[in-house]
Amino acid sequence: MTSCTGTGSWRSDRGSRALLSRIAEPYDESVRVLVAEHGVQDLVGYAVTDGRNPDGVPLTRLLSRLERSLAVDEGSVCRALRVRLLVPGDEEWPTGLDDLVWPPWALWVKGPARLDEASARAVALVGARASSTYGDEVAARISFSLAERGFTIVSGAAYGIDAAAHRAALAADDGLTVAVLASGVDVPYPRANSALLERIAEVGATVSETPPGGAPARMRFLSRNRIIAALSAGTVVVEAGLRSGARSTVKHARELGRHVMAVPGPVTSALSAGCHEEIRAGATLVSDAAEVAELVGRIGEDLAPPKRGPVEAQDDLDPEVRRVWQWLRPRRSVSVDEVMVRSGLGLGEVLVALSELEHRGMAEQLLDGWKRRGS
């Protein structure tokens, strides 16, 4: 596993990425432009040495946190919290993150699961925080079954759908789940999910681009959603309102060319309105784990069985026999003449059909005609 070795100095690539993560927000467009122009290591060097870029422009947004951040010993922090720092180029770095227009500068990871391996066969399940019983049940069913099939479940550890997905994955045999946080991996949020996050870190992994100690914030939640999408082969939105933050994860997944899936709900439910809009926009409608696995799994190996209604006795009847059967009644007899008139068949065809139905146990001859037997 990659440690925090090399973070002792901002002059190293690893150290400069850790420092930039502390002094700048990953969603800050102006900082992103500077990174694109100068690269992380050079940009951090300019900020530390004289606070200006080569053109003499003050790097104002990078300076307010600089002094305090330079005093942080990242190596000691990682060892104390038993976390590791990943940067692009590390063996454990998930290559799916490189598909992002703005990949994370670094990731802090807590837990035994290797992030590259966990994301190789992963599905994101996201949805409403104030979810319904229906949404929680569907999320749990899909998550548990996918985990049993060997998929990693990626979500954001929030209330509602996220928590239901994580818990169900942990309940599966050898189930693996990854929680992407908007706070530092040492800052459990929401607090009520602290035990859940501890369990995820024991068997899977908690991940954040926010350094340890960082507090959750709305923009950090929206920013981390792109990581959830990039770590997964596809994103399933289980239940979401029209303004749900979960739809931003779907947006990132669509931009990345990943599979986008949505679970339908009652048309009268505001909690499913966002899912229905995603389906109208092109998301694949899914109702269970088999349909998800078929879309994101291995070709030819994760096929979903065809769905069909219950097999009934009349399904394999010849057309003429079925025409006769449909005019028989279960509670009263029907004469042969009446069957002929109603079915539009000749006498010989009706008699042959009735004989076939009697042989199958589907019709019975009475004194005054024929009646249907069975269901």
Side-chain angles (χ1 to χ4, degrees), residues 250-299:
V250 174
K251 176 177 178 291
H252 290 300
R254 186 174 282 119
E255 291 172 349
L256 288 167
R258 306 290 204 267
H259 293 289
V260 174
M261 296 154 278
V263 175
V267 296
T268 54
S269 172
L271 284 173
S272 290
C275 295
H276 299 156
E277 283 301 303
E278 294 298 343
I279 293 170
R280 284 171 55 84
T284 301
L285 187 155
V286 293
S287 59
D288 58 27
E291 294 172 349
V292 176
E294 182 177 66
L295 201 61
V296 303
R298 302 183 184 96
I299 296 176

Side-chain angles (χ1 to χ4, degrees), residues 291-350:
E291 294 172 349
V292 176
E294 182 177 66
L295 201 61
V296 303
R298 302 183 184 96
I299 296 176
E301 293 184 22
D302 294 298
L303 297 176
K307 292 183 177 179
R308 56 182 62 182
V311 177
E312 298 183 351
Q314 67 270 22
D315 289 346
D316 62 345
L317 295 177
D318 291 336
E320 289 79 9
V321 179
R322 185 193 294 270
R323 287 171 64 178
V324 170
W325 178 84
Q326 73 176 343
W327 291 113
L328 298 182
R329 296 292 178 260
R331 295 184 179 84
R332 71 175 181 87
S333 60
V334 180
S335 68
V336 173
D337 288 342
E338 184 178 349
V339 174
M340 289 172 55
V341 171
R342 292 184 178 278
S343 67
L345 298 175
L347 176 62
E349 293 172 308
V350 169

Side-chain angles (χ1 to χ4, degrees), residues 25-28 32 126-129 155-160 162-163 166 179-184 187-193 197 207-210 214-230 243-252:
E25 294 293 340
Y27 53 80
D28 191 321
R32 286 176 171 178
V126 297
R129 288 177 171 83
S155 198
Y159 291 129
D162 289 17
H166 286 305
V180 184
L181 309 181
S183 58
V187 181
Y189 186 86
R191 292 286 182 181
N193 285 349
L197 286 165
V207 181
S208 182
E209 64 181 335
T210 299
R218 174 173 171 75
M219 290 301 294
R220 287 178 176 176
F221 279 106
L222 294 175
S223 181
R224 69 88 191 261
N225 287 346
R226 78 193 196 286
I227 299 176
I228 294 176
R243 290 181 57 84
S244 172
R247 295 187 68 189
S248 74
T249 307
V250 174
K251 176 177 178 291
H252 290 300

Side-chain angles (χ1 to χ4, degrees), residues 2 14 52 56 59 66 112 114 120 144 176 204 206 214 224 244 259 292 315 318 322 348:
T2 305
R14 189 177 300 278
R52 296 175 180 273
L59 302 174
L66 183 60
R114 281 185 58 105
F144 180 85
L176 186 61
T206 56
R224 69 88 191 261
S244 172
H259 293 289
V292 176
D315 289 346
D318 291 336
R322 185 193 294 270

Side-chain angles (χ1 to χ4, degrees), residues 55-75:
D55 297 324
V57 178
L59 302 174
T60 307
R61 294 197 179 184
L62 302 182
L63 301 180
S64 61
R65 303 176 184 171
L66 183 60
E67 183 177 358
R68 181 175 58 184
S69 299
L70 283 171
V72 176
D73 184 341
E74 295 290 355

Side-chain angles (χ1 to χ4, degrees), residues 26 46 82 84 111 116 121 131 144-146 161-163 166 174 179 181 193 282-283 295 303 331 357 372:
Y46 302 147
R82 300 179 67 183
R84 57 193 183 276
D116 57 335
R121 184 171 164 85
S131 54
F144 180 85
S145 185
L146 286 173
I161 299 302
D162 289 17
H166 286 305
D174 299 321
L181 309 181
N193 285 349
L295 201 61
L303 297 176
R331 295 184 179 84
L357 291 170
R372 185 184 299 180

